[in-house]
């Protein structure tokens, strides 16, 4: 009898796809940016930067993350200026 192939471990692509979905969901949860969102925004950016290019291409709302980071930076500047 022929041996039954064992299931293979998830590939890097599967992990990238999964992480891209997690990052997209994180970005969607940001909403209106305030100072309390700093950890979420920085975590999403860090995770995004660790993705291979193929994974980055799956994060269709990346521009919203960039916009949120810019808004956060502006809020932090306003906060430190008071």
């Amino acid at each position: 009898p022929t041996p039954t192939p064992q299931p293979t471990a998830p590939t890097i692509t599967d992990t990238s796809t999964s992480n891209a979905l997690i990052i997209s969901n994180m970005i969607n949860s940001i909403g209106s940016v305030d100072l309390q969102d700093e950890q979420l925004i920085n975590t999403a950016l860090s995770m995004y930067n660790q993705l291979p290019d193929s994974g980055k291409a799956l994060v269709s709302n990346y521009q919203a993350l960039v916009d949120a980071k810019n808004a956060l930076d502006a809020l932090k500047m306003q906060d430190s200026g008071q």
Side-chain angles (χ1 to χ4, degrees), residues 15-38:
T15 303
S16 296
T17 301
S18 176
N19 286 343
L21 180 60
I22 291 167
I23 295 164
S24 291
N25 288 337
M26 290 172 74
I27 296 168
N28 288 336
S29 73
I30 294 170
S32 178
V33 176
D34 60 41
L35 294 175
Q36 295 175 353
D37 294 319
E38 183 172 13

Side-chain angles (χ1 to χ4, degrees), residues 15-81:
T15 303
S16 296
T17 301
S18 176
N19 286 343
L21 180 60
I22 291 167
I23 295 164
S24 291
N25 288 337
M26 290 172 74
I27 296 168
N28 288 336
S29 73
I30 294 170
S32 178
V33 176
D34 60 41
L35 294 175
Q36 295 175 353
D37 294 319
E38 183 172 13
Q39 184 175 356
L40 176 62
I41 291 168
N42 287 337
T43 299
L45 273 171
S46 176
M47 289 179 68
Y48 178 85
N49 289 334
Q50 292 176 30
L51 285 174
D53 289 342
S54 60
K56 289 178 181 178
L58 299 173
V59 182
S60 61
N61 56 351
Y62 174 69
Q63 185 58 48
L65 179 58
V66 171
D67 295 343
K69 175 64 173 163
N70 290 337
L72 176 67
D73 290 344
L75 285 172
K76 287 171 65 176
M77 287 182 68
Q78 288 176 359
D79 194 49
S80 66

